[in-house]
Amino acid sequence: MANLEHLRNENRFSLIEADICEAFDPGPVDYVFNFASPASPADYLRLGVETLRVGSAGTLNTLEIARKYGAKFLHASTSECYGDPLVHPQTESYWGHVNPIGPRSVYDEAKRFSEAAVMAYHRYHNVDTHMVRIFNTYGPRLQANDGRVISNLMMQALRGGELTIYGDGSQTRSFCYVSDLIAGILLLSRSDEHEPVNIGNPEEWTILECAQEVMEVVGIADGEARKLAHLPLPQDDPARRKPDISKANRLLGWSPKIPLRKGLELSLDYFRECAVAEKA
Ligand code: UDP
């Protein structure tokens, strides 16, 4: 709710609180953006069955609203559709390497089912659908305690505690700043493309390199003892992840503008406030 505070006096905005896993009718709409799902591994592992339900029944219910009102539809999909990828960087034509019964399957398979559902509503019901495959995203308003790597490392560095590195930290991720992601999603929402489009920043970092960037941005000097705590690597944690964004570039003229260092600097005040609020 705190993230909606600035819309309190906006008369073009209204909030309906509902469970999309149950059929519901918001009345006529022009566009449905379906972003509903826990997204952090810590959250979806805790809410496994709920994650499966929102990514199946929930997606079907929101598609039904688009069909009923002739609305356009955009679905938030994910790089997790590629699983622990054997193709690098990941192109949209790659079908992925996903463990259908592993711990992450509650998220991965729900998101893959959602993609099938979106394509089916496009094919069978002619709904004007779009799908974005979102890669790791960060920025102000990222939940400070949601367990993801940027929020964890930023908060740990600000608290002055140990930075947790899962495994040896050689696994890679490619981090996209939130405003770049939003720009890409809006362009896609106005396009004619119905198949998935990767939106992410192809700058690829090992988790150790990422921790180093965080320490420099927070101002932990190089000479200071680096406090890294190595914890076990979670099962099926993808070894590497990097989007091929040539499709988004070709179709939408989109590419990200904010490199990791700059994005972390832009996020610092927000995480500082979170750290202060935590102490209060
Ligand atoms: N990770 C880490 N320390 C943390 C949190 C995450 O080393 O405190 C690692 C995690 O094992 C993964 C990567 O950072 O390899 C990204 O994890 P995250 O949970 O942010 O999202 P994922 O990309 O796995 O969905």
Side-chain angles (χ1 to χ4, degrees), residues 41 44 80 104 136 147-150 152-153 156 164-166 171 173 207 233-234 237-238 241:
Y44 65 67
E80 280 287 314
R104 294 173 89 100
N136 296 61
R148 277 185 278 195
V149 68
I150 300 276
N152 271 7
L153 296 179
Q156 290 159 349
T164 52
I165 305 290
Y166 303 162
Q171 71 272 31
R173 292 295 185 273
I207 298 305
L233 189 68
D237 195 281
R241 194 184 273 162

XYZ file of all heavy atoms in Angstrom, residues 41 44 80 104 136 147-150 152-153 156 164-166 171 173 207 233-234 237-238 241, ligand 1:
223
model
N 12.479 -15.988 -5.039
C 12.555 -17.411 -4.670
C 12.138 -17.663 -3.215
O 11.393 -18.609 -2.940
C 14.020 -17.768 -4.917
C 14.437 -16.838 -6.022
C 13.693 -15.552 -5.769
N 8.224 -17.519 -3.246
C 7.472 -18.590 -3.931
C 7.789 -19.967 -3.360
O 6.976 -20.882 -3.474
C 7.565 -18.507 -5.462
C 8.900 -18.719 -6.144
C 9.559 -19.946 -6.136
C 9.468 -17.690 -6.887
C 10.756 -20.127 -6.814
C 10.671 -17.862 -7.570
C 11.316 -19.086 -7.525
O 12.493 -19.256 -8.195
N 12.843 -17.369 -15.830
C 12.786 -18.708 -15.226
C 12.180 -19.727 -16.188
O 12.337 -20.929 -15.988
C 11.980 -18.693 -13.929
C 12.750 -18.173 -12.718
C 13.793 -19.151 -12.190
O 13.503 -20.348 -12.032
O 14.919 -18.686 -11.935
N 11.943 -25.201 -7.404
C 11.572 -23.998 -8.152
C 10.426 -24.241 -9.125
O 9.924 -23.296 -9.747
C 12.777 -23.470 -8.946
C 13.913 -22.956 -8.086
C 15.131 -22.613 -8.931
N 15.134 -21.246 -9.414
C 15.839 -20.243 -8.861
N 16.570 -20.448 -7.800
N 15.794 -19.037 -9.372
N 16.181 -10.555 -14.119
C 16.375 -9.953 -12.784
C 16.295 -8.429 -12.844
O 17.041 -7.808 -13.609
C 17.721 -10.377 -12.197
C 17.796 -11.865 -11.944
O 17.680 -12.653 -12.870
N 17.968 -12.250 -10.690
N 14.565 -11.279 0.100
C 15.497 -12.394 -0.028
C 16.251 -12.430 -1.344
O 17.100 -13.298 -1.550
N 15.941 -11.515 -2.256
C 16.667 -11.542 -3.527
C 18.049 -10.928 -3.372
O 18.332 -10.213 -2.408
C 15.871 -10.835 -4.615
C 14.854 -11.792 -5.194
C 14.134 -11.200 -6.349
N 13.066 -10.349 -5.868
C 12.082 -9.934 -6.657
N 12.057 -10.285 -7.921
N 11.127 -9.165 -6.174
N 18.881 -11.180 -4.361
C 20.305 -10.884 -4.145
C 20.584 -9.390 -3.986
O 21.346 -9.010 -3.090
C 21.185 -11.544 -5.232
C 21.002 -10.933 -6.616
C 22.633 -11.494 -4.825
N 19.995 -8.527 -4.810
C 20.331 -7.101 -4.693
C 19.813 -6.544 -3.361
O 20.540 -5.842 -2.646
C 19.748 -6.273 -5.867
C 20.316 -6.772 -7.202
C 19.988 -4.771 -5.651
C 21.645 -6.233 -7.603
N 19.146 -8.208 -0.591
C 19.947 -8.781 0.500
C 21.291 -8.080 0.635
O 21.660 -7.630 1.720
C 20.207 -10.275 0.253
C 19.120 -11.156 0.834
O 18.100 -10.659 1.307
N 19.327 -12.460 0.790
N 22.022 -7.979 -0.470
C 23.388 -7.431 -0.393
C 23.370 -5.959 -0.001
O 24.186 -5.514 0.821
C 24.121 -7.618 -1.734
C 24.367 -9.073 -2.174
C 25.070 -9.104 -3.532
C 25.182 -9.858 -1.153
N 22.439 -5.782 3.724
C 23.526 -6.308 4.560
C 24.690 -5.324 4.609
O 25.264 -5.072 5.677
C 23.991 -7.671 4.012
C 22.949 -8.778 4.210
C 23.151 -9.962 3.267
O 23.937 -9.894 2.312
N 22.446 -11.053 3.535
N 25.799 -12.265 2.236
C 25.608 -13.696 2.019
C 25.777 -14.042 0.537
O 25.117 -13.476 -0.330
C 24.216 -14.150 2.501
O 23.216 -13.306 1.909
C 24.103 -14.063 4.014
N 26.687 -14.960 0.280
C 26.934 -15.448 -1.081
C 26.553 -16.926 -1.098
O 27.103 -17.706 -0.322
C 28.439 -15.317 -1.454
C 28.938 -13.886 -1.266
C 28.700 -15.836 -2.868
C 28.404 -12.885 -2.244
N 25.604 -17.272 -1.952
C 25.189 -18.673 -2.034
C 26.112 -19.409 -3.004
O 26.304 -18.965 -4.133
C 23.734 -18.800 -2.491
C 22.735 -18.064 -1.601
C 21.454 -17.760 -2.070
C 23.063 -17.675 -0.299
C 20.532 -17.095 -1.263
C 22.152 -17.010 0.505
C 20.896 -16.712 0.023
O 19.994 -16.049 0.814
N 28.117 -18.104 -10.047
C 26.920 -18.084 -10.901
C 26.657 -16.659 -11.361
O 27.035 -15.712 -10.660
C 25.700 -18.685 -10.167
C 25.101 -17.868 -9.037
C 25.745 -18.122 -7.684
O 26.930 -18.425 -7.598
N 24.976 -17.989 -6.614
N 24.119 -13.480 -13.085
C 22.807 -12.895 -13.357
C 23.054 -11.608 -14.132
O 24.154 -11.051 -14.101
C 22.045 -12.573 -12.062
C 21.601 -13.788 -11.240
C 20.581 -14.651 -11.956
N 20.083 -15.744 -11.096
C 20.664 -16.927 -10.980
N 21.774 -17.208 -11.636
N 20.118 -17.855 -10.207
N 27.890 -13.326 -9.081
C 27.340 -12.807 -7.819
C 28.454 -12.170 -6.981
O 28.234 -11.160 -6.311
C 26.591 -13.928 -7.059
C 25.397 -14.429 -7.896
C 26.146 -13.475 -5.678
C 24.414 -13.339 -8.338
N 24.448 -23.333 -1.970
C 23.731 -22.939 -3.187
C 22.369 -23.642 -3.201
O 22.300 -24.860 -3.040
C 24.555 -23.367 -4.411
C 24.081 -22.873 -5.767
C 24.261 -21.360 -5.886
C 24.854 -23.579 -6.883
N 21.273 -22.892 -3.363
C 19.959 -23.551 -3.405
C 19.865 -24.548 -4.577
O 20.513 -24.351 -5.609
C 18.981 -22.383 -3.634
C 19.718 -21.153 -3.227
C 21.173 -21.424 -3.494
N 19.539 -23.807 -8.631
C 19.854 -22.384 -8.836
C 20.543 -22.269 -10.203
O 21.578 -22.881 -10.428
C 20.804 -21.931 -7.716
C 20.908 -20.428 -7.594
O 21.628 -19.811 -8.393
O 20.282 -19.884 -6.676
N 19.966 -21.497 -11.138
C 20.569 -21.428 -12.482
C 22.025 -20.949 -12.427
O 22.350 -20.002 -11.711
C 19.683 -20.422 -13.218
C 18.361 -20.494 -12.519
C 18.698 -20.751 -11.075
N 22.703 -16.634 -16.435
C 21.486 -16.069 -17.014
C 21.829 -14.730 -17.664
O 22.383 -13.842 -17.021
C 20.452 -15.873 -15.918
C 19.081 -15.629 -16.431
C 18.156 -15.344 -15.307
N 17.571 -16.516 -14.696
C 17.020 -16.491 -13.486
N 17.041 -15.410 -12.767
N 16.449 -17.575 -12.989
N 22.066 -15.106 -3.973
C 23.178 -14.940 -3.147
N 23.001 -14.340 -1.931
C 21.788 -13.870 -1.500
C 20.659 -14.021 -2.352
C 20.844 -14.649 -3.581
O 24.300 -15.343 -3.496
O 21.720 -13.322 -0.394
C 22.256 -15.716 -5.310
C 21.283 -16.828 -5.659
O 21.770 -18.072 -5.239
C 21.219 -16.706 -7.174
C 21.431 -15.222 -7.444
O 22.021 -14.698 -6.265
O 22.296 -17.414 -7.765
C 20.133 -14.476 -7.731
O 19.195 -14.840 -6.739
P 17.802 -14.147 -6.562
O 17.137 -14.794 -5.399
O 17.948 -12.669 -6.533
O 16.957 -14.463 -7.881
P 16.981 -15.611 -9.011
O 17.740 -15.037 -10.136
O 17.650 -16.846 -8.483
O 15.542 -15.837 -9.297
